[in-house]
Amino acid sequence: MKTECVADISMNSILAEYNRELFDRFSILMVETSYGSGNHSITNTEEHLRNYVQKNFSRSLEAKVRNAQTMTSIYCKDARITGTSYASDNGGAVLNRQILEYMKAEPIEHALFEAEDNTRRLQEAGFDTTDVEEMARANQEEIDSVELPTYINEDGEEEEMSLANPADQVNSQKGIGVLNLVASGRYEISEAYANLNEYSSHRNKNKGTGLNDRCELSLTDKLLLEQYYFEKCGRYGGEIGKSLLKYQLEYLCYGENSDWKNLEKMTETLLFWREASNLAYILTSSSKTSAAEAAATALTVVLMVPELEELVKYSILFAWTFAESVSDISILLGGGRVPLFKSDETWQLGFFEMLGFRNNLGKRDCGSGLYYKDYLRMRLLMTSHEDKTKRLMDIIEMDMRLTPGNSSFMIDHCLDTFCGEITVSTSYGYETKIERVYGYEE
């Protein structure tokens, strides 16, 4: 009976050595088996277990003074750990199981259901598959294939007349990149960088024995994980102070090695979605299609190339769509709202504002719609569960290594469940083994 009690006390003592910073920052209970030493090995935990067992068999101070002996003089002959499960096992299933244990008492936020609904509406509308830029390029190629009239210039040489398409003024800005367009001189972007080769997703990981590494996820579980990401990770406009990368949710989506690159990817996604949405609206707006048609007619009549009228009209509409979409992204990064579907009331740029759109960025709000974080929720929902788990483990390592005593922290050496085998002997030569499985959810 005493041996069994000692085994239970000793194994519980191992679990009590969970990493405090990991719990405080990420609400995860696990033993980091290097114990801050940088020497990552389960033998460290075995040594701790052996010491706990021996201490519980040792005589008390009073007994030592009186030189009293136990009846059988029990002592720990050996203590080994024969089975393990680590946080990163089975693609991070062990980590997810712990997160869900923490989150199970939390109600699912209404914002998550809204994000699911918005994602469904976006996909049903085809905004995630309609490549407006490709359509614009194909349209421009047709324009370029038409020969324009020529004239003799002042040097006596024959030269093709310029179409002077107003869309060209907008299209010339595309090579700058959407984040550069909207952020230049307006928003301060984090310059944080991470060497990804140092983190979990880019190295061969330590693996357990498969002791308890399963985690089947229901739809509710996946929503709770999404809620956890937003609770524990920073993002553009909602940064966390003591973190390596500031835009951590964007990192979950894209996995790039810097905040700039991850935000750049997010703005490119926003551009793709917003162009699809804005084109869908502008093609139904009689006032805007009429304005584009009038400009196209004037240009093609002057140059006597009526076959270009429809192509030029659409090139103007594509350019207008691009300019409006860049304006939308500027509003979102500035903390304003942009609706998923535009209307006459929420459209921002008129025809002449479109031509000089860079001078018309920085509008604060469309009056209704979704914030940047809402669009980010949608993008996160569309990211594979496997990628999010893999990148979350990187984020945990990044931030843990900034805490005292954890500069070499590794998620794949974080122990969740273990099987301990304790061998005890007596002064009379008797020997017995006790095997127990202990874990934070056992």
Side-chain angles (χ1 to χ4, degrees), residues 112-263:
L112 274 171
F113 294 115
E114 287 186 336
E116 276 198 312
D117 184 56
N118 288 329
T119 304
R120 176 187 56 77
R121 293 167 65 212
L122 178 137
Q123 292 174 326
E124 287 179 352
F127 295 166
D128 63 325
T129 56
T130 302
D131 191 340
V132 175
E133 284 302 304
E134 182 57 39
M135 295 164 65
R137 280 190 292 270
N139 187 76
Q140 187 61 46
E141 287 176 4
E142 289 195 57
I143 291 175
D144 294 340
S145 69
V146 176
E147 291 187 9
L148 297 176
T150 60
Y151 69 99
I152 303 301
N153 64 24
E154 58 186 17
D155 296 324
E157 298 173 344
E158 186 177 37
E159 187 174 327
E160 189 174 73
M161 298 182 71
S162 171
L163 183 58
N165 185 351
D168 295 341
Q169 190 172 334
V170 174
N171 293 337
S172 65
Q173 306 295 309
K174 290 183 177 181
I176 296 173
V178 62
L179 184 54
N180 282 312
L181 283 172
V182 300
S184 180
R186 294 182 184 85
Y187 309 119
E188 186 176 342
I189 307 299
S190 166
E191 297 179 355
Y193 165 87
N195 181 358
L196 297 184
N197 290 327
E198 298 177 356
Y199 298 103
S200 169
S201 65
H202 287 69
R203 68 166 184 266
N204 291 325
K205 286 184 279 296
N206 175 55
K207 291 182 174 62
T209 62
L211 182 63
N212 185 13
D213 64 356
R214 309 306 299 173
C215 183
E216 301 298 328
L217 297 177
S218 66
L219 179 59
T220 299
D221 290 337
K222 290 180 179 179
L223 289 177
L224 285 172
L225 288 173
E226 296 290 322
Q227 194 160 306
Y228 177 86
Y229 303 147
F230 265 79
E231 178 181 321
K232 299 298 183 182
C233 298
R235 59 172 174 81
Y236 175 83
E239 298 83 355
I240 291 175
K242 295 181 180 179
S243 62
L244 180 59
L245 293 180
K246 304 304 178 185
Y247 309 155
Q248 295 174 321
L249 291 175
E250 289 85 347
Y251 178 77
L252 291 183
C253 292
Y254 300 103
E256 296 291 340
N257 65 359
S258 71
D259 281 337
W260 177 276
K261 289 181 180 178
N262 285 307
L263 187 59

Side-chain angles (χ1 to χ4, degrees), residues 319-421:
W320 205 341
T321 294
F322 173 80
E324 179 75 9
S325 300
V326 173
S327 173
D328 289 344
I329 296 167
S330 178
I331 289 169
L332 290 170
L333 294 189
R337 294 167 295 174
V338 174
L340 194 55
F341 299 90
K342 282 288 183 72
S343 65
D344 289 340
E345 291 73 26
T346 55
W347 191 268
Q348 298 295 300
L349 302 180
F351 182 84
F352 293 104
E353 288 179 312
M354 172 263 292
L355 298 178
F357 74 97
R358 292 188 69 179
N359 297 321
N360 290 288
L361 300 178
K363 296 177 185 289
R364 303 307 302 170
D365 200 88
C366 287
S368 64
L370 308 177
Y371 292 100
Y372 172 81
K373 65 180 180 180
D374 301 318
Y375 282 97
L376 183 57
R377 278 189 191 274
M378 294 162 62
R379 180 60 183 84
L380 198 59
L381 282 170
M382 297 168 73
T383 303
S384 76
H385 166 70
E386 292 76 17
D387 282 343
K388 286 181 286 194
T389 300
K390 174 180 69 177
R391 293 165 186 165
L392 176 63
M393 291 191 286
D394 287 347
I395 288 171
I396 292 173
E397 288 191 342
M398 290 175 194
D399 286 8
M400 284 299 300
R401 291 179 189 179
L402 299 178
T403 61
N406 292 294
S407 60
S408 61
F409 179 92
M410 289 185 173
I411 194 73
D412 51 321
H413 286 274
C414 286
L415 186 67
D416 169 77
T417 307
F418 69 99
C419 178
E421 183 184 274

